[in-house]
Amino acid sequence: MAKIPGFFSLKHFLVLSLALNVSLVLRVVFDTENLGLHFSGFVLQKKQRTVLSTPSSSASSSSASVAEVEDGGEEVVNLDHGDPTMYESYWQIMGEKTTIVIPGWQSISYFSDIRSTCWFLEPEFAKQVVRLHKVVGNAETEGHHIVVGTGSSQLYLAALYALSSKEAAEPMSVVSAAPYYSSYPLMTDYQKSGLHKWAGEARSFNKPGPFVELITSPNNPDGFVRHSIVNQTGGALIHDLAYYWPQYTPITSPADNDLTLFTVSKSTGHAGMRIGWALVKDLEVAKRMTKFIELSTIGVSKDSQLRAAKVLEAVADSCEQAGSSEFSESFFEVSYRLMTERWQHLRDAVNTSGRFGLPEFTPAFCHFHGHNLQPQPAFAWLRCLNGVEDCESFLRGFNILTRGGKHFGASPEYVRSYPVMADHQNSGFHKWNGERRSFNRRGHILSRSSPQTTRTDAVQCLQKHRTCRDVHWIATIGVSEDLLLQVAIVLEAIADSFKPARSTEFSEPFFGSARNER
């Protein structure tokens, strides 16, 4: 990794990041004469094609910037899904604090701790999960079992499996109050297991019998704090607290639920790790969740867990040592300030436009920061005003991609967009940075902490296969990039052992060695 000159500080990089990203924020101002659409410095004009240009300034180039290019050659701004690259600059500055070396012989066994309920849970990862929750104060861990999964998506499916009855005469109903996370219906029904079935809106649910209610808090997509709504017995609750971290919302009390889901992607921005965890009170439920993951993926990548543990350790260290020579501020202080600046630009833009509306949040006391804070979600629940009935289609007309309210069980007047999470020009492109990953020749992976990593040509080829892509997206939202890169370097080492078969590097091919051992 290139060294950062001493005259640059973390503050300089954050200012630079904000300067680059101020253009991302949804400064939507319509010109009634030419229907120009202004995006905080970017201007999209609906002519023969959509053009994005940015004015000259000391902080940004005057050349045209392309957000994303579709097959037809037109540029689009993709705000449909969240990709937390805004944290990348911070983790680059952290450098060696989150760097680990994984030898080629490590993590060979399926098992991490056979004495644990979740036998593939790495002890170091469990240790750092407990430590971080204690430091932040957002969840109780005592009296809970930790189950690790390939992101919270796999854990959600594992929870449904664990809470369903095999002897039930019909599938168990799964409900959530609208607007709900748009993937819940798809994830619940795509396996057609017969154990559970999406039953829609929780407010109108009155079917007798067992059910599962999903509570996402802060809620995705509108950002409000949520509680259980269904008022009848026989139900189980799954709390998805992916965004219950101090950069997004006030930490009012530690969560102490029967089953709670968290994920690294939302807490630290490391979406490519594909690591999540569940805090489960009931031992039998934890065992059944573990069994589901065993049946579906035979555990969870140890390499990803070890890397995640290192990142969580750095976050906890930054909280405990804030103000020291090692950490001038905690990770959550830095990220909260960045979110505040971006939300201020977003609200200014929306208020200026007069054509859109945003939710209004009530400040609350945050026990982590020690004062009242305004919630500032990772996404914007935007409403089109002035008679626009389909906000998603309306914005698509200007090559702005969002996700419409109908996907969330809400009115099409709404869209969910992610104008504050991505870095660079919110482009949707993930540029390869050769310093994000360094390998040596013996199967070691030098793993750095940047949230986004490249994919190998083989993985890109696989992802072109629609069925494979869709199934992995619904089940686990992809595969750990740490794992793919580790596998790639091990396979490379095996192939290199054949050419030449005998050298100073390799005395004999890998498969020849294995045959001799038999």
Side-chain angles (χ1 to χ4, degrees), residues 203-218:
R203 293 181 181 88
S204 58
F205 179 75
N206 57 10
K207 181 180 178 181
F211 67 92
V212 169
E213 182 181 358
L214 309 173
I215 301 126
T216 305
S217 186

Side-chain angles (χ1 to χ4, degrees), residues 42-289:
F42 282 92
V43 181
L44 287 76
Q45 294 181 339
K46 192 174 182 181
K47 297 182 179 178
Q48 292 183 349
R49 63 176 297 181
T50 301
V51 178
L52 283 75
S53 61
T54 180
S56 300
S57 71
S58 59
S60 60
S61 170
S62 60
S63 61
S65 299
V66 177
E68 186 168 329
V69 180
E70 290 187 325
D71 293 340
E74 287 197 336
E75 298 104 1
V76 302
V77 176
N78 190 346
L79 303 177
D80 175 81
H81 55 274
D83 206 8
T85 54
M86 62 174 281
Y87 298 117
E88 188 167 1
S89 297
Y90 176 87
W91 290 117
Q92 286 176 337
I93 293 170
M94 289 299 101
E96 299 303 315
K97 291 184 177 66
T98 52
T99 298
I100 60 173
V101 175
I102 302 177
W105 51 263
Q106 191 171 341
S107 305
I108 286 181
S109 173
Y110 286 113
F111 302 95
S112 295
D113 184 358
I114 59 174
R115 299 167 298 179
S116 173
T117 300
C118 184
W119 50 266
F120 44 80
L121 171 64
E122 283 291 303
E124 181 62 21
F125 177 68
K127 173 185 174 182
Q128 297 304 329
V129 164
V130 171
R131 180 189 176 205
L132 185 60
H133 280 308
K134 184 176 181 180
V135 168
V136 174
N138 63 340
E140 293 286 355
T141 57
E142 187 173 353
H144 293 73
H145 306 277
I146 299 176
V147 180
V148 66
T150 306
S152 59
S153 298
Q154 186 184 38
L155 289 166
Y156 168 64
L157 296 174
L160 291 183
Y161 174 84
L163 296 172
S164 301
S165 173
K166 294 181 179 179
E167 289 75 31
E170 58 181 352
M172 182 175 61
S173 298
V174 181
V175 299
S176 186
Y180 43 71
Y181 179 42
S182 59
S183 292
Y184 279 154
L186 296 173
M187 294 167 65
T188 303
D189 288 346
Y190 91 100
Q191 287 182 316
K192 301 186 184 299
S193 68
L195 296 177
H196 42 75
K197 184 177 181 180
W198 179 253
E201 170 64 76
R203 293 181 181 88
S204 58
F205 179 75
N206 57 10
K207 181 180 178 181
F211 67 92
V212 169
E213 182 181 358
L214 309 173
I215 301 126
T216 305
S217 186
N219 188 42
N220 181 353
D222 61 12
F224 287 103
V225 173
R226 286 288 189 88
H227 303 283
S228 175
I229 287 178
V230 179
N231 185 23
Q232 65 185 59
T233 60
L237 304 179
I238 298 176
H239 285 81
D240 184 347
L241 302 192
Y243 294 98
Y244 191 45
W245 295 97
Q247 69 266 52
Y248 306 119
T249 192
I251 304 301
T252 55
S253 63
D256 188 12
N257 307 306
D258 290 339
L259 200 164
T260 308
L261 307 180
F262 290 95
T263 175
V264 169
S265 63
K266 307 305 186 298
S267 55
T268 71
H270 291 81
M273 285 185 187
R274 306 310 312 128
I275 289 291
W277 66 95
L279 303 178
V280 187
K281 281 187 178 180
D282 189 282
L283 175 60
E284 293 305 313
V285 172
K287 287 181 178 179
R288 284 178 59 80
M289 290 181 67

Side-chain angles (χ1 to χ4, degrees), residues 365-387:
F365 185 81
C366 177
H367 289 277
F368 177 83
H369 290 289
H371 53 83
N372 284 354
L373 293 179
Q374 178 94 355
Q376 42 194 26
F379 34 76
W381 188 232
L382 196 71
R383 184 182 184 184
C384 282
L385 306 177
N386 300 334

